[in-house]
Amino acid sequence: MQVTTSVEGRALEMRVDGGRLWASLMDLAAIGATAKGGVCRLALTELDRQGRDLFVRWAEQAGCTVRVDGIGNIFARRAGTDPGRPAVMTGSHIDTQPTGGKFDGNYGVLAGLEVIRTLDAAGIQTRAPIEVVVWTNEEGSRFTPVMMGSGVHVGAFTLAHALAQTDAEGVSVQQALQAIGYAGLAPAGPANAAGAYFEAHIEQGPVLENHGKVVGVVTAALGQRWYNVRLTGMEAHAGPTPMELRKDALLVAGRLIAEVNRIATTRAPHARGTVGSLQVFPNSRNVIPGQVTMSVDLRAPDDAQLLAMDQDLRAACERFAHEAGIAIAVEQVVSFPPQPFAPPLVESIRAHANDLGYSAMDVVSGAGHDAVYLARVAPTAMIFVPCADGISHNEIEAAEPEHLEAGCNVLLRAMLAAAEVQA
Ligand SMILES: [Zn+2]
């Protein structure tokens, strides 16, 4: 049996305060609370300012030094004993969708704050600094692109580009940041890269709940390819045109929808294929559809699988076009590469979840998160906890206090392992 020093022993016994975490989540959710129990706190609005101010107050009360960068990202830093070490960072976002919930994003930020409060209460110091970050405009509801603050942080696009974006009323990101007092002076960009980045988040899907698991060990974020597919046949009268002489674009679109489904279901469990939008021309009851434009969304956890799905889609389009005597054009409009998370951090999360006695399973992230950008500049991993019925981006979004506490305990352990306890 290994003998541990008293500080290390105390660090192992330390647990987060689930009640305090829950109370903070509810306090933050009161800002922008909706009648149906959700939250509407769009990025860089007056309500966002109030939410940010509350976080900053809490972070300063916990002894953190707070800085804000040029895109409004908030960094709350708990000093380490070794100033030369890069920070071990965690965070997420507190902006919401117009009909958002209490937990999406907010959980990751407040779980990070709870880690700091727990360290303070136990009197534990770490060698590396610990930072909790609030990333600006993750949701992309008021301003596009999504994941704006983390995107600037990793250099996915420039600060100037982000600041110039405008909302539906013509208000720019720069104006909105100045209006709420969060146009910060700290340099925005990848210069202050973290030693490690963790993000705790509700799953926003049904997998953990279906398997009865409490902690999701996120191994990767799915790569995404989005397409516009245009099928061009021939409009003709629905009565006089015999079945064998038609060039019905919608009929072929129907086959293609089933094929997109097959392309993903034959690559279970992680591949996804979705047709979510169709425009039919001329969209008239008694005209054979001459043209259809449809969206295709393909997702997979690795490059090889995503490429094979792309090839299957294109081959099916060629085959169907040939068989039906119509034209099908495939245009790829968006591409995000699959993002594997750092294996040592993933393993750390898995080991600590097991050590703490939580039921855990490996999962992939099907949605985008700030962590997906952070993984480009720092070793990164995510922790998922279940949300009721897998529902998110909805006012009825719900999560169990003990699940949130469990994910936060795993976060605490994984961050301590990365930051190292000062003996
Ligand atoms: Zn989120």
Side-chain angles (χ1 to χ4, degrees), residues 92-93 104-105 138-139 199 201 204 369:
S92 197
H93 58 96
D104 176 4
E138 191 274 347
E139 295 288 3
E199 185 167 345
H201 207 283
Q204 303 183 285
H369 292 290

Side-chain angles (χ1 to χ4, degrees), residues 184-419:
L185 298 174
N192 47 8
Y197 178 78
F198 295 94
E199 185 167 345
H201 207 283
I202 56 167
E203 182 194 359
Q204 303 183 285
V207 176
L208 292 175
E209 193 176 69
N210 276 359
H211 287 79
K213 304 290 186 186
V214 171
V215 172
V217 181
V218 190
T219 56
L222 300 182
Q224 309 182 24
R225 289 192 187 204
W226 298 0
Y227 308 84
N228 288 335
V229 178
R230 178 183 293 250
L231 304 90
T232 307
M234 180 69 77
E235 304 89 82
H237 198 301
T241 316
M243 301 310 286
E244 71 275 16
L245 295 179
R246 298 175 175 213
K247 293 182 188 299
D248 183 337
L250 185 56
L251 184 66
V252 181
R255 290 185 69 191
L256 198 51
I257 292 168
E259 180 65 12
V260 167
N261 186 269
R262 190 201 65 79
I263 285 170
T265 49
T266 53
R267 294 178 170 92
H270 294 323
R272 317 269 191 259
T274 306
V275 175
S277 166
L278 280 184
Q279 286 89 44
V280 180
F281 177 82
N283 208 24
S284 171
R285 171 187 304 277
N286 50 12
V287 179
I288 298 159
Q291 192 164 298
V292 173
T293 306
M294 57 193 262
S295 65
V296 175
D297 176 325
L298 300 179
R299 304 188 187 207
D302 64 74
D303 285 313
Q305 191 169 74
L306 195 53
L307 181 63
M309 293 169 73
D310 173 274
Q311 288 167 343
D312 278 10
L313 172 68
R314 291 175 191 277
C317 287
E318 263 182 49
R319 193 166 73 246
F320 294 166
H322 179 73
E323 288 169 7
I326 72 166
I328 305 182
V330 181
E331 181 198 2
Q332 185 179 302
V333 289
V334 168
S335 170
F336 283 106
Q339 183 61 65
F341 289 136
L345 299 192
V346 172
E347 177 51 34
S348 172
I349 288 168
R350 191 186 290 122
H352 287 301
N354 289 332
D355 194 45
L356 288 160
Y358 300 132
S359 62
M361 69 181 287
D362 286 7
V363 293
V364 294
S365 173
H369 292 290
D370 295 307
V372 180
Y373 271 150
L374 265 291
R376 296 185 183 182
V377 298
T380 292
M382 293 190 78
I383 301 162
F384 278 176
V385 295
C387 58
D389 300 318
I391 294 172
S392 176
H393 286 187
N394 189 312
E395 290 162 276
I396 64 168
E397 181 184 277
E400 294 297 327
E402 59 267 34
H403 294 165
L404 299 168
E405 180 180 338
C408 192
N409 271 320
V410 175
L411 177 68
L412 169 68
R413 283 284 192 97
M415 290 188 76
L416 266 190

Side-chain angles (χ1 to χ4, degrees), residues 103-121:
F103 304 101
D104 176 4
N106 299 290
Y107 171 54
V109 170
L110 295 182
L113 182 67
E114 178 56 33
V115 165
I116 286 180
R117 287 170 166 174
T118 302
L119 293 172
D120 286 350

Side-chain angles (χ1 to χ4, degrees), residues 115-149:
V115 165
I116 286 180
R117 287 170 166 174
T118 302
L119 293 172
D120 286 350
I124 299 285
Q125 286 196 297
T126 54
R127 299 190 64 193
I130 299 244
E131 277 190 2
V132 182
V133 191
V134 177
W135 302 110
T136 292
N137 184 37
E138 191 274 347
E139 295 288 3
S141 181
R142 182 180 174 199
F143 298 102
T144 54
V146 298
M147 301 184 287
M148 181 179 277

